[in-house]
Amino acid sequence: MSAQNNINYNTVRPESEKITYLETTTPQQTFAIGQELGRKAAAGEIYTLTGDLGVGKTVFTQGIAAGLGIVEPVNSPTFTIVQIYEEGRLPLYHFDTYRIVDIAEMDEIGYEDYFYGDGVCIIEWAELICELIPDTAVRITIEKDLEKGFDYRKITIVR
């Protein structure tokens, strides 16, 4: 499925950043947007994902992984903090910082090697480690609006 099917695109370009607003009505569309980002991703890029529990951050990440050519199952690394996938055209470093209690835990896992490495970083719950996130990171927020339907999502991408 093309990410363009039944998705509203509305782009605003402030002086210093580009903001893209997308709306999806199925998990498959959310996956497809992630997949398109994965196809275009370059080494060293960091994508932060914020949004409520169950909003689709992992579905979005699975799409990015598919766009990178990763075929193994991608699940949220809630208890391990980082999961590494190396089979795609670029390595994928998938972080879930939901259970981070102290920012020093990120130092213990050597986050800088991933953030400034040769792969692509996806960071779920990035707001919990915001002081570590480089200004160059692409910030993605996924939101629900139950008035628009159970599977409706608004995805905001800030570059």
Side-chain angles (χ1 to χ4, degrees), residues 102-104 111 115-116 126-135:
D102 182 341
I103 203 77
Y111 81 93
F115 282 20
Y116 303 104
E127 66 273 21
L128 299 175
I129 61 163
C130 60
E131 60 267 33
L132 300 179
I133 305 295
D135 291 339

Side-chain angles (χ1 to χ4, degrees), residues 8-21:
N8 279 333
Y9 290 84
N10 179 15
T11 303
V12 178
R13 292 188 175 119
E15 289 181 31
S16 63
E17 60 189 10
K18 176 182 173 186
I19 303 174
T20 303
Y21 301 99

